[in-house]
Amino acid sequence: MVLSNRLAGWAARRPHALLVEVPGATAVRWVAEAELARAGAVAADSAADADLLVVAGAPGAELTAVVDEVWAQMPGPRARIWIAEPGAAAGAVAQALASLIGPGQAADAGRRRDAWAAGPATPDGGGSAEDGDEGDGMQMPGGLMMADRAPDRDGLQLDVLSVPLGPVLADWPAGLVVDVQVQGDVVQRAQWRLLGPAQPSGPASDGADADPGRGPGGRAASRLGALARLLGVAGWPAAAVQARRLRDAAWSGAPAAPVRTGLRRLDRRLRRSRALRWSTDGLGVLTPDEARSQGFPRWDAAGADTARTGHDATARWRGWLTEADALLAGEGAGRGAAEGDGAGHDAGREDDASVARARLDAAVRLMAGLDLAAARVVMASLDPHCGALAGAARRPEGTTSA
Amino acid sequence: MTAAPVWSVLPAAALVLAYASGAAVLDGLLDPADRDRGAGVRAGRPLWETARLLRQRRRSTVTPDALLWRAGAAGPLVVALLMAVVVPMGGRAVADPVVGVVWFNALDVALWLLVWSAGWGANGVYALVGGYRYLAQALAYELPLMFALTGPAVAAGSLRMSEVVAAQHGLWFVVWMPVAFGVFLGAVAGFSLWGPFGYPAGRDVAGGVLAEPSGVDRLVLLAGRYALLAAGAAMASALFLGGPAGPVLPGWLWSALKTALVLAALVAVRRRMPVLRADRVMRLAWLVVLPLTLAQLLVVAVIAVVVGG
């Protein structure tokens, strides 16, 4: 008993948290992330790695079903919290941490009926880390679908697997599911859909604190948040932490000067990194027109060599650095980088929705023919603002093939 | 160097685990995410993580290939311990076979199967992708690694580790084989799924080979990763840094210090750069690193013939 209490105490010093962001709840996620970091928690990569399941925002029915499935995949001891608004984060996190080492865990473990323990007759999928289930149709071993075959890009007959990417995936846009068909890890076809919040968040329901994109600090924070995610996807956690700190500082309205100093340091580090450029160069290239209509800054803001490489992922993260600095310096309105050129990302809800849709369409189009790593860099570099779409009518679209 | 008694397996294993824990402590200390927390909390990270994973339930998936999965999870730790058997520390090794260098190389190739099994056995998409990524990455570093290992062996005229160490009397191999040394360190990071070579365990595929295991399986797999780094660092100090050679201090201390330094460098590099994706690394590995390693080997061979003949 003494030993297990000691173990529990030690374990609670570093819980791993899996975050599920509901579209439109970006601010809640940011606060929850900061609160979790303060409590010593780290971000989990998958359900198997997680002790805490943190749902930021109020999910709709479909997303709730996914959350339940992820919950069932967590090994335990486990705790789940729903954070509807930023103010509730601190209390909820503290409560969840307490329940992780509380007596309720034994009862929870006793009650569980895990899909994997039930043997091969379960009708449900869910054996893999992603969260949709393909279980209907033929009865297959374990209720899982077998792979089909189709010719691949080299003319060979290879297995085709249909896999949903998201919506619970580290550094992935909120509520987004991209149904991909992969051969090996190469995406052949991709199609996106959105799992929305409980009620469409109209302009009335989201106040200033629910949408971080308003105000220069918030807009700078949203660039830095996108950058943090891209760095996470690129596998550079140390730099991602730096970006996330700056994001939180910019959003909390801290004095701009120290934030800009930190930003300059990050800027130098990233621009000097040949390895990062290697990982993002030439991926997700947009034409100048597409880039403009999707709310990306003018080419000159993104760096001189954009003209040579096209508007690729590298150009976009460089653009975020430049924009964030300009916004923090208070030049945002005048530069055109952040608002001009019809950059609807921040301007108004209607524009936001169309920009987000354009970015998602571009993302699934550009993902085809890439391996999963590159496809994820493309998605992260386009940073579709799914919250803007949540209110708009949902319709599946954006099918594309290699 | 004489062959050690059988019981020396135990202290050797303890040493590997001690170095692995040290690496995990250092990694906690260097993590910028915990910058604001006390040094004690940061240094205790292996303890917190171990406690957490010991407490965690062992999870399964729907219809896993349980045998391959569990074997794959335990694989890295077992391989690291087997590697350590031939690595001399302070002039003593558990065993000193005539093919010591080949033994190390063969074990690192065995990792291909084991890590792939860890990915395959879980029956999950991300884990499977992670397993195959390990193979793709291995294609990039394995040939350069083999030629890098050949350098010290050619210079010493032997594959026996004790003779490779003895041949560095007066001049460490790192001085005239810097390329081989660098390639070897890169390959150690590669087979340990570490830092820039963490591609098979990438966050973009929900942790890859780490996506599905939990509890004690995960603990053994993560410990194996650090143990591989430790075994690789010890091997680097014996192959290239003269092993126990050094002034004033006793030989065993020199071996220990050199291993610790190499290990610290390997741990620190993780914060310095993003993951190098296999598709991008491949071109570099085959078009730049491999020719450079071959050129290094040519130089070594010519010198060995001229000096030896």
Side-chain angles (χ1 to χ4, degrees):
Chain A
M1 201 59 205
V2 176
L3 180 64
S4 67
N5 282 344
R6 173 66 59 84
L7 272 187
W10 284 350
R13 289 183 176 225
R14 201 172 156 75
H16 292 213
L18 187 63
L19 256 151
V20 183
E21 178 188 351
V22 178
T26 309
V28 183
R29 171 170 64 88
W30 290 359
V31 173
E33 277 178 355
E35 206 55 56
L36 286 164
R38 204 165 301 132
V42 284
D45 285 342
S46 67
D49 185 28
D51 311 303
L52 287 176
L53 182 59
V54 181
V55 184
E62 280 176 294
L63 195 49
T64 305
V66 171
V67 167
D68 286 342
E69 203 174 331
V70 172
W71 175 244
Q73 290 179 12
M74 285 170 57
R78 54 181 187 168
R80 162 158 68 166
I81 45 178
W82 310 79
I83 305 176
E85 47 195 72
V93 168
Q95 207 178 351
L97 288 178
S99 95
L100 259 188
I101 54 175
Q105 290 298 335
D108 175 49
R111 271 197 310 273
R112 288 185 66 166
R113 300 177 55 78
D114 301 310
W116 66 75
T122 34
D124 222 30
S128 45
E130 78 289 345
D131 314 298
D133 59 290
E134 306 279 321
D136 44 41
M138 285 181 288
Q139 275 297 312
M140 287 295 179
L144 301 174
M145 289 297 286
M146 301 289 279
D148 292 328
R149 286 205 172 169
D152 85 328
R153 56 183 176 183
D154 300 324
L156 302 166
Q157 283 285 324
L158 287 185
D159 286 355
V160 182
L161 205 55
S162 298
V163 186
L165 300 182
V168 183
L169 195 56
D171 294 320
W172 182 255
L176 179 67
V177 180
V178 174
D179 294 298
V180 294
Q181 292 189 337
V182 288
Q183 287 182 317
D185 71 343
V186 177
V187 176
Q188 301 298 329
R189 296 161 63 79
Q191 194 171 5
W192 65 267
R193 60 197 159 94
L194 198 66
L195 307 186
Q199 65 259 12
S201 52
S205 73
D206 70 61
D209 59 348
D211 190 347
R214 323 262 154 192
R219 287 206 302 269
S222 112
R223 307 300 190 270
L224 291 166
L227 184 64
R229 284 188 148 180
L230 180 71
L231 291 169
V233 168
W236 199 357
V241 164
Q242 228 176 328
R244 206 173 308 122
R245 284 226 171 88
L246 291 169
R247 174 198 78 187
D248 290 344
W251 188 51
S252 69
V259 181
R260 288 189 66 201
T261 311
L263 183 57
R264 254 195 303 281
R265 204 172 307 133
L266 178 65
D267 188 288
R268 257 201 315 276
R269 188 178 190 190
L270 298 188
R271 283 180 205 266
R272 259 206 317 243
S273 170
R274 188 184 294 258
L276 181 62
R277 282 211 313 279
W278 242 13
S279 141
T280 57
D281 270 357
L283 286 179
V285 178
L286 298 174
T287 65
D289 287 344
E290 286 171 330
R292 202 174 309 114
S293 70
Q294 292 176 26
F296 290 109
R298 278 205 306 259
W299 285 31
D300 51 311
D305 52 358
T306 315
R308 187 167 48 82
T309 58
H311 196 279
D312 61 356
T314 306
R316 289 194 282 278
W317 65 253
R318 284 181 174 166
W320 290 335
L321 285 166
T322 313
E323 278 183 287
D325 191 53
L327 285 161
L328 287 169
E331 309 164 14
R335 275 288 285 263
E339 275 185 326
D341 289 358
H345 189 41
D346 311 308
R349 187 140 294 274
E350 283 306 305
D351 269 4
D352 271 2
S354 66
V355 165
R357 181 166 287 120
R359 288 186 181 190
L360 283 168
D361 289 341
V364 292
R365 174 171 57 79
L366 293 164
M367 278 164 106
L370 297 177
D371 65 292
L372 282 180
R376 289 224 45 196
V377 168
V378 167
M379 182 57 87
S381 77
L382 287 165
D383 184 39
H385 185 48
C386 291
L389 271 180
R394 220 180 308 140
R395 53 195 166 92
E397 56 196 304
T399 314
T400 180
S401 58
Chain B
M1 194 169 78
T2 52
V6 175
W7 56 260
S8 64
V9 168
L10 291 178
L15 201 57
V16 171
L17 294 181
Y19 271 115
S21 315
V25 167
L26 181 64
D27 190 47
L29 285 173
L30 292 180
D31 189 350
D34 283 351
R35 198 185 52 188
D36 307 330
R37 316 183 80 201
V41 176
R42 282 183 290 160
R45 179 186 289 187
L47 205 55
W48 324 141
E49 289 285 0
T50 304
R52 181 181 154 264
L53 291 173
L54 283 178
R55 225 175 142 249
Q56 198 171 59
R57 291 176 73 206
R58 204 170 173 212
R59 171 181 181 279
S60 186
T61 55
V62 176
T63 61
D65 191 329
L67 177 66
L68 283 185
W69 191 21
R70 310 294 185 199
L77 185 56
V78 173
V79 165
L81 292 172
L82 287 174
M83 279 177 172
V85 164
V86 298
V87 180
M89 289 295 279
R92 297 175 70 85
V94 173
D96 190 26
V98 273
V99 290
V101 175
V102 178
W103 171 262
F104 183 87
N105 200 188
L107 281 167
D108 119 64
V109 176
L111 276 174
W112 294 30
L113 175 63
L114 289 165
V115 177
W116 174 84
S117 298
W120 164 271
N123 194 21
V125 172
Y126 295 128
L128 187 63
V129 169
Y132 277 106
R133 281 183 174 189
Y134 192 78
L135 298 187
Q137 184 166 282
L139 281 180
Y141 73 71
E142 193 58 45
L143 270 184
L145 170 61
M146 285 181 183
F147 287 116
L149 282 171
T150 312
V154 166
S158 168
L159 291 166
R160 197 189 280 275
M161 284 303 297
S162 59
E163 285 170 16
V164 172
V165 172
Q168 298 177 66
H169 194 72
L171 189 61
W172 297 355
F173 283 164
V174 66
V175 178
W176 51 298
M177 304 177 199
V179 176
F181 180 62
V183 167
F184 183 80
L185 290 187
V188 169
F191 67 62
S192 310
L193 299 82
W194 186 256
F197 298 100
Y199 183 59
R203 187 166 163 81
D204 57 331
V205 284
V209 292
L210 287 168
E212 304 289 356
S214 71
V216 73
D217 294 321
R218 194 181 188 84
L219 177 62
V220 171
L221 189 49
L222 290 174
R225 204 157 76 142
Y226 283 110
L228 281 174
L229 278 180
M235 191 67 176
S237 75
L239 277 180
F240 294 100
L241 300 178
V248 187
L249 300 174
W252 62 267
L253 193 53
W254 274 116
S255 276
L257 277 178
K258 288 171 187 171
T259 302
L261 275 179
V262 173
L263 185 56
L266 282 170
V267 169
V269 82
R270 179 179 177 194
R271 314 283 170 211
R272 307 295 301 176
M273 56 169 78
V275 162
L276 302 170
R277 291 206 311 272
D279 57 328
R280 311 260 158 151
V281 166
M282 201 69 78
R283 191 169 300 158
L284 178 78
W286 284 78
L287 297 182
V288 181
V289 179
L290 188 57
L292 272 178
T293 321
L294 285 172
Q296 167 84 83
L297 188 57
L298 181 67
V299 171
V300 171
V302 167
I303 293 179
V305 166
V306 169
V307 174

